[in-house]
Amino acid sequence: QVQLVESGGGLVQSGGSLRLSCAASGRTSSGYAMGWFRQAPGKEREFVAAISWSGGRTYAADSMKARFTISRDNAKNTVYLQMNSLKPEDTAVYYCALRNGYSTYGLNERGSYNYWGQGTQVTVSS
């Protein structure tokens, strides 16, 4: 079993920044991709960003790629999401997810992930 624990969420003013972290532990496979998704009240969970095992390939939703950056530190089994220029519409619960293997196909699809964290709340005030 794999556990994912997110941290770094909180309350920030519009235009501010936050860095989310997600630490993986347990029986991770030899290689795995990581992703971030978010879910606002009354809305479906949506893709934010994803990163390949090596970190050489990253993906982000079009509406966020100019402001959000995903990265990872495999020595720490941790993935990060740097969020800049935050807007009130970024308010949501942010979830990290892990998908076993080296493939980068479909990393924007929530159904392709094997494990999910509990989520961390991000609230952006106007």
Side-chain angles (χ1 to χ4, degrees):
Q1 191 65 289
V2 172
Q3 293 79 42
L4 302 175
V5 178
E6 302 99 333
S7 61
L11 175 64
V12 64
Q13 289 189 333
S14 181
S17 298
L18 281 175
R19 188 174 86 150
L20 305 183
S21 300
C22 173
S25 61
R27 302 185 64 167
T28 57
S29 64
S30 58
Y32 52 89
M34 298 288 291
W36 286 97
F37 290 75
R38 70 184 186 184
Q39 188 166 17
K43 295 188 177 181
E44 291 191 354
R45 193 170 298 188
E46 65 174 343
F47 172 72
V48 175
I51 188 167
S52 64
W53 163 248
S54 69
R57 290 187 178 234
T58 61
Y59 308 86
D62 288 342
S63 62
M64 300 171 229
K65 63 176 55 179
R67 302 182 295 122
F68 293 3
T69 302
I70 190 170
S71 61
R72 66 188 297 165
D73 182 343
N74 287 345
K76 297 180 179 179
N77 292 331
T78 300
V79 64
Y80 305 96
L81 183 68
Q82 177 67 43
M83 304 187 294
N84 299 326
S85 301
L86 284 162
K87 307 173 182 180
E89 50 264 43
D90 293 318
T91 295
V93 177
Y94 284 70
Y95 298 89
C96 74
L98 181 151
R99 189 177 82 181
N100 291 325
Y102 299 95
S103 172
T104 57
Y105 179 78
L107 285 178
N108 62 330
E109 300 173 4
R110 64 187 186 200
S112 71
Y113 288 82
N114 303 105
Y115 301 97
W116 291 84
Q118 293 298 307
T120 185
Q121 176 71 47
V122 171
T123 303
V124 184
S125 63
S126 58

